[in-house]
Structure formats: structure tokens, C-alpha cells
Amino acid sequence: ASLSRETLLAAFCPQMEVLLSTLESQGFEALSEEYTRQWMHSGQRVKVQAEDGSEVREAVISGIARSGYLLAVDNQGREVELHPDGNSLDMMQGLIYQKK
């Protein structure tokens, strides 16, 4: 049995309306716990390399920073905010490095 577009949209749109309404009225904080529970990055281990290449440290993706960027915690408990314009990702190596 195939799923029609109409059936899919009828199920999706009311849920999306509720989420958008919550986002508009309460901000992302109201949705952040559910969002991070559903996404694939939580608990993912990565290596974060310093801009000058002098240091590579292990980190675990912990969620989303208040700024909206990816947040990780290194093995010394320091938070590392990962900005897409300032970091590159090597998925094969699990390495995130700061762009020069």
C-alpha cells in the first residue's frame, strides 16, 4: 500500500503548525530537548583540531549552543562551539578542524 501525498501532508502539516507556533511564541528553548533527542549527532565522538594544527582534542557532541551552533565537550570538560563558517569536517576521520 502506497502512501498518497495527501495523506502524508494531512499528517505532517498539523504537527508542523504546532512546532512553528511553539517556536514563534516560546523560542527554540522550548523545543531544544526534543530536537536533540531526535537528531543523530548526540554522543558522537569527534576530534577537534586547533587552527594552527598544534592540538587535536577528543570531544563529544553534546547539543546545540544558545547561538544555534553545534556544541561539543572535550575530554577536559571544556565546551567547544563549532561554527560552520569556521570549521571543516572530515567525516572519514571524525575530525573537525578550525579553518585558517
Side-chain angles (χ1 to χ4, degrees), residues 33-84:
E33 185 178 323
E34 179 67 19
Y35 178 80
T36 54
R37 191 171 66 234
Q38 298 294 330
W39 73 333
M40 65 181 197
H41 300 293
S42 290
Q44 182 179 1
R45 294 191 169 281
V46 295
K47 295 175 186 170
V48 180
Q49 184 176 28
E51 183 177 351
D52 62 5
S54 63
E55 177 185 21
V56 175
R57 48 191 169 145
E58 300 265 332
V60 177
I61 304 298
S62 61
I64 305 260
R66 287 184 160 234
S67 62
Y69 293 112
L70 199 60
L71 186 64
V73 177
D74 71 11
N75 53 6
Q76 295 178 345
R78 296 178 295 191
E79 287 188 339
V80 181
E81 197 170 302
L82 305 170
H83 297 244

Side-chain angles (χ1 to χ4, degrees), residues 6-24:
E6 292 82 10
T7 302
L8 178 63
L9 288 172
F12 173 81
C13 287
Q15 294 296 318
M16 189 64 184
E17 284 182 47
V18 169
L19 292 172
L20 286 174
S21 176
T22 301
L23 182 63
E24 289 173 349

